[in-house]
Amino acid sequence: MPRSGVLQTIAYSGGDVTRGSSFIFDGVIAAVIGGVLLQGGYGSTLGVLLGTATYGIVSLGIFYTGWNTDYAQLFLGALLLVAVMANNYFRKLALSGR
């Protein structure tokens, strides 16, 4: 959940540099799940949008099912692993010139 610093300062009556530090890789994970190549050079807005939607559905879906919320990190890690493996496959395919 991206938040601006101004809104955080108003809501919490102060600023803290460690607040939100657990969200550092959320954007990267959503982009990679959406098909953005890790080495750069390819990615689409629609892919990032779908990756972000998938990330949000998994994160909130685990919560609403009543399961332990630690499973959300497990599922997101599995999705990231699959996305990275697909990323490597597509990079090799693009470099082969097919």
Side-chain angles (χ1 to χ4, degrees), residues 1 55-72 75:
M1 295 174 35
Y55 182 89
I57 289 168
V58 169
S59 296
L60 289 176
I62 296 295
F63 175 75
Y64 285 125
T65 58
W67 294 354
N68 187 352
T69 54
D70 291 334
Y71 287 133
F75 286 127

Side-chain angles (χ1 to χ4, degrees), residues 23-75:
F23 301 116
I24 282 182
F25 294 111
D26 290 351
V28 176
I29 291 171
V32 171
I33 289 173
V36 174
L37 291 180
L38 291 171
Q39 291 80 15
Y42 180 78
S44 68
T45 306
L46 181 62
V48 173
L49 179 69
L50 292 174
T52 304
T54 303
Y55 182 89
I57 289 168
V58 169
S59 296
L60 289 176
I62 296 295
F63 175 75
Y64 285 125
T65 58
W67 294 354
N68 187 352
T69 54
D70 291 334
Y71 287 133
Q73 296 300 319
L74 176 71
F75 286 127

Side-chain angles (χ1 to χ4, degrees), residues 5-17:
V6 173
L7 292 177
Q8 276 188 348
T9 303
I10 292 169
Y12 298 112
S13 300
D16 184 9
V17 295

